[in-house]
Amino acid sequence: MNNPKQLTFPWSKSNKSNFNEYYFDDPNFKLKKILQENDDIFIYGINKTGKTYLLQSLCNKYAEEGKTSLYIPLIEASSLDTAILDSIENMDLICIDDLDSIQNLRSWELAIFNLINNCLISGCRLVFSSSNNISDVKFTLKDLESRIKKIDQIEVFPIRSENISRALIQISNHRSINLGDRELSYLMTYSERSISNLVKILNKLDALSLEKKRKITIPLIKELT
């Protein structure tokens, strides 16, 4: 690969994911430190804990430092030929999302196994995510299972219910979105209390506020919800 910075894939798109907008609840403080080190890592956790966001944030951090990185969502990539993984091991970082989605896809299991071996030689850092602990992931290729189990694993915990409002305030402040106490309380009372859902609403509110040139108020929230 002559110029890995120019790699493009069907799922490639610009995003603004960054660690400043991810609320690291107390159980995830260790995770934040480990992600920003240089070791390979396998992160796992239930849906909507922000695993994809963390991987994309890490890729963006590498880009800001002038390093090459690649984010690969296996749920999408596994519909393509495994040849897309050929010679990508010269990147500085490769983030593989949803590793558990290729269970029983023998060709992809082999391709990931070969990628791990190639990265061991090239020095490329690998970060994997999965909805399940590796002990609950059953690959048909046992060599892949063995390789993954040698990588340090850490769980991504959901934000505790009592801290969801703090997380939303942190995200709002970082984006310079003016979300008042009454509006925050309304959202927390009448919306699904998950940070992923609340951030989606916040994004829509921000866009609607800019479009209508109005402050974010409860009447504006009602228009949206």
Side-chain angles (χ1 to χ4, degrees):
M1 184 188 307
N2 294 323
N3 194 344
K5 287 187 178 180
Q6 293 183 356
L7 281 175
T8 56
F9 292 94
W11 57 83
S12 297
K13 61 181 179 180
S14 177
N15 69 77
K16 297 181 180 179
S17 305
N18 69 83
F19 290 123
N20 290 327
E21 284 192 12
Y22 187 91
Y23 184 85
F24 286 92
D25 209 352
D26 287 352
N28 288 327
F29 277 173
K30 182 181 178 182
L31 169 67
K32 181 179 183 180
K33 180 176 181 294
I34 290 176
L35 280 172
Q36 299 191 70
E37 293 176 350
N38 296 313
D39 296 328
D40 293 349
I41 187 171
F42 176 96
I43 68 173
Y44 66 95
I46 61 174
N47 291 335
K48 297 185 178 181
T49 50
K51 299 184 296 295
T52 292
Y53 191 92
L54 288 170
L55 296 190
Q56 292 176 339
S57 296
L58 190 56
C59 285
N60 286 340
K61 180 177 182 293
Y62 269 62
E64 289 169 2
E65 296 172 352
K67 299 176 182 177
T68 55
S69 62
L70 182 61
Y71 167 76
I72 302 177
L74 283 182
I75 286 179
E76 298 178 54
S78 59
S79 65
L80 306 174
D81 193 285
T82 59
I84 65 171
L85 299 186
D86 291 350
S87 302
I88 64 172
E89 65 274 3
N90 292 313
M91 308 288 287
D92 293 308
L93 166 74
I94 300 173
C95 290
I96 308 286
D97 208 356
D98 299 305
L99 182 65
D100 47 337
S101 69
I102 61 165
Q103 293 176 95
N104 301 316
L105 297 178
R106 180 79 179 187
S107 62
W108 271 95
E109 290 184 10
L110 181 59
I112 294 295
F113 175 72
N114 289 335
L115 177 63
I116 294 173
N117 289 336
N118 292 338
C119 287
L120 284 172
I121 296 170
S122 70
C124 173
R125 183 188 184 191
L126 286 170
V127 177
F128 295 95
S129 88
S130 166
S131 294
N132 300 295
N133 188 317
I134 190 56
S135 62
D136 297 321
V137 180
K138 303 301 178 185
F139 294 115
T140 57
L141 185 64
K142 296 306 174 184
D143 285 341
L144 174 59
E145 222 170 90
S146 176
R147 283 287 191 203
I148 295 294
K149 285 180 178 178
K150 291 179 181 178
I151 299 173
D152 288 339
Q153 303 170 43
I154 186 166
E155 185 171 1
V156 184
F157 295 97
I159 298 173
R160 292 169 295 179
S161 179
E162 64 268 26
N163 286 337
I164 290 177
S165 61
R166 291 184 184 179
L168 198 60
I169 290 170
Q170 175 179 305
I171 294 167
S172 300
N173 289 342
H174 186 263
R175 297 186 187 179
S176 299
I177 298 173
N178 187 9
L179 187 65
D181 292 341
R182 292 180 66 251
E183 288 71 30
L184 174 64
S185 177
Y186 185 88
L187 282 175
M188 297 298 295
T189 302
Y190 295 102
S191 304
E192 176 192 331
R193 287 176 63 90
S194 74
I195 192 62
S196 60
N197 177 65
L198 287 166
V199 169
K200 286 179 183 177
I201 293 174
L202 186 65
N203 290 338
K204 291 177 181 177
L205 277 173
D206 188 35
L208 186 60
S209 174
L210 289 172
E211 177 189 334
K212 297 199 171 187
K213 298 180 180 179
R214 290 167 53 190
K215 293 181 179 179
I216 295 178
T217 59
I218 290 175
L220 189 68
I221 295 172
K222 288 181 176 179
E223 285 185 33
L224 186 64
T225 59

